[in-house]
Amino acid sequence: MAASTSDSLDKTPEPFGETSSYDSGKQNMAVSDSSDTNERFVEHAVQRNGSWLGGIMNIMCISIGTGTMNLPKVVSRVGWFGIILFVLMAIIGWYVGVLFRRAMYATDRRVSSFALVTKSAFGKIGFWFATIITYLYCCGTALSWIIVCGTQITRLIGFAGGNLDEKISMTIIALVMWVPFTALKTLREITISSMFGVLTALFTVLVLAVTSLQHKYTDVYHGPEFDGAPTHEFIIGKGIPSAIASISFMYAGSVAFPHVEGNMRKPQQFGWMLFVANTLVCGAYLLSSVTGYVAFGDQTVSPILNNLPNLAIVNAATIVIIVHCVFALPVMLVSASLELELALGVMPGILGKKKELAWRIFMRTVTMGVLLGISIAIPYFGQVIDLVSAISTTVVFFMVPVFCYVKLLGWNRIPKYELLLCGVLAAIGAVACVWGLIDAIKSLQTAVQLGHG
């Protein structure tokens, strides 16, 4: 923190995790709310036996995945300016992560979850708002994964000469995803799953990049939906707000930050760990998006797999991304479920181990069933991501961390330049939310009318 902040801020973690009074480890098993429910949540969510590498894997697994197939389309909506937005969103994502961690330690005890930090700042209204918005964000992400996996399974089977309805494909993939989602309780149990998810995602990024450049749009090869040669623009102004919403969707892991940080043996490493993770994520996004836009320009579709020919390597990448989604879904939905289970008191310390297990399986099964139903009703991948981004991601990414930081630390304890920066971020989030929501609704209406995304 800057020298102008008060001494009481000295114990809040700095951006790259310099030593703080917290690091003695004596406060890492407490929360700011003294209620029995919140105290028991510590045992439920904080298990400090993970490494910084595990933290990077968890964040990358959440971030890199199906988004790599949608982002080339996002670039086509905003032009080459999208490259600047990718880098900017990565920096902002790191910065709001640092601010949110400071908010977690703004009192004399660590606050253990996204919703509890919001509760500390804005009371019960803030708690339930954060719980709901977190659930929407995480479930919306999982929804897009079910859609892309189901549609691509049907596409692969079609290439092989078979025929399988997309609804059946989505049902099968949802059942497969249901197993690890209900079986695994906390992020501590899925680090290996995260590592595998990251490796599969990076393989897909490389395949998409190389194959896109090898099969650029030409008069000889192009899909029937194309009309003329693709064009490229430096900047398309009207697409910037919705692009910000869509790109922030890929970096909005703040809902999982308390759980990731809570599983690190050395939580003071969180700042630079997040910086490394966001840098790697940004590099992967740029590789897939730039090559996709170079190859197909304004003719890029979402997912970009539909721009590519029926090749063995492309089909292999499709299979890999499906596997990635199966491994990544627990990372995303477990975070949301922990928040909801905290809110409803579904914890061993309250219900006992057997009842907690039964309720956890029931609630997570209902969640997966609802997601499957929505996926079947509106199977439009790109439009779903845009809608989720506008409704929840802009709030989770831009607004909640900033508002909690300012509220908990106090206006007079934060440097003026940082207050100004927080105000700018909140304003950008508000514009992206409203404008992105309007664009997403229009796009979804068009997709429903046409019968395809």
Side-chain angles (χ1 to χ4, degrees), residues 101-159:
R101 185 170 187 258
R102 290 177 184 170
M104 288 168 58
Y105 295 95
T107 62
D108 60 347
R109 297 182 179 183
R110 178 184 187 274
V111 182
S112 303
S113 77
F114 187 80
L116 285 179
V117 172
T118 311
K119 180 180 181 180
S120 296
F122 301 103
K124 290 185 178 180
I125 293 178
F127 174 77
W128 282 106
F129 174 80
T131 299
I132 293 171
I133 205 69
T134 297
Y135 208 67
L136 286 175
Y137 164 66
C138 293
C139 288
T141 304
L143 178 65
S144 70
W145 292 347
I146 295 173
I147 291 172
V148 75
C149 288
T151 54
Q152 292 305 311
I153 287 174
T154 296
R155 183 168 175 262
L156 289 174
I157 292 176
F159 286 155

Side-chain angles (χ1 to χ4, degrees), residues 150-212:
T151 54
Q152 292 305 311
I153 287 174
T154 296
R155 183 168 175 262
L156 289 174
I157 292 176
F159 286 155
N163 183 28
L164 183 65
D165 189 270
E166 287 185 353
K167 296 178 181 178
I168 297 177
S169 297
M170 292 180 189
T171 301
I172 293 173
I173 199 65
L175 288 173
V176 173
M177 291 175 168
W178 171 82
V179 175
F181 172 45
T182 55
L184 301 175
K185 183 176 179 180
T186 69
L187 291 180
R188 175 176 58 92
E189 299 168 306
I190 53 182
T191 298
I192 294 178
S193 172
S194 298
M195 290 182 181
F196 185 83
V198 170
L199 293 176
T200 57
L202 293 178
F203 171 77
T204 303
V205 167
L206 291 174
V207 170
L208 292 178
V210 173
T211 309
S212 293

Side-chain angles (χ1 to χ4, degrees), residues 161-302:
N163 183 28
L164 183 65
D165 189 270
E166 287 185 353
K167 296 178 181 178
I168 297 177
S169 297
M170 292 180 189
T171 301
I172 293 173
I173 199 65
L175 288 173
V176 173
M177 291 175 168
W178 171 82
V179 175
F181 172 45
T182 55
L184 301 175
K185 183 176 179 180
T186 69
L187 291 180
R188 175 176 58 92
E189 299 168 306
I190 53 182
T191 298
I192 294 178
S193 172
S194 298
M195 290 182 181
F196 185 83
V198 170
L199 293 176
T200 57
L202 293 178
F203 171 77
T204 303
V205 167
L206 291 174
V207 170
L208 292 178
V210 173
T211 309
S212 293
L213 294 179
Q214 289 179 338
H215 298 84
K216 294 189 296 184
Y217 180 98
T218 66
D219 292 335
V220 176
Y221 167 71
H222 56 81
E225 70 274 15
F226 294 116
D227 182 19
T231 60
H232 302 81
E233 302 286 344
F234 174 72
I235 184 170
I236 304 173
K238 65 180 181 180
I240 292 178
S242 60
I244 289 176
S246 296
I247 296 172
S248 65
F249 176 84
M250 310 306 164
Y251 292 107
S254 53
V255 296
F257 287 168
H259 304 295
V260 173
E261 194 261 7
N263 287 315
M264 294 178 66
R265 282 192 299 268
K266 298 180 180 179
Q268 68 271 22
Q269 296 176 339
F270 179 82
W272 70 263
M273 180 276 294
L274 179 59
F275 183 84
V276 172
N278 273 16
T279 300
L280 294 173
V281 169
C282 183
Y285 288 160
L286 287 175
L287 182 60
S288 63
S289 301
V290 170
T291 53
Y293 189 55
V294 166
F296 306 108
D298 65 332
Q299 310 297 327
T300 306
V301 298
S302 178

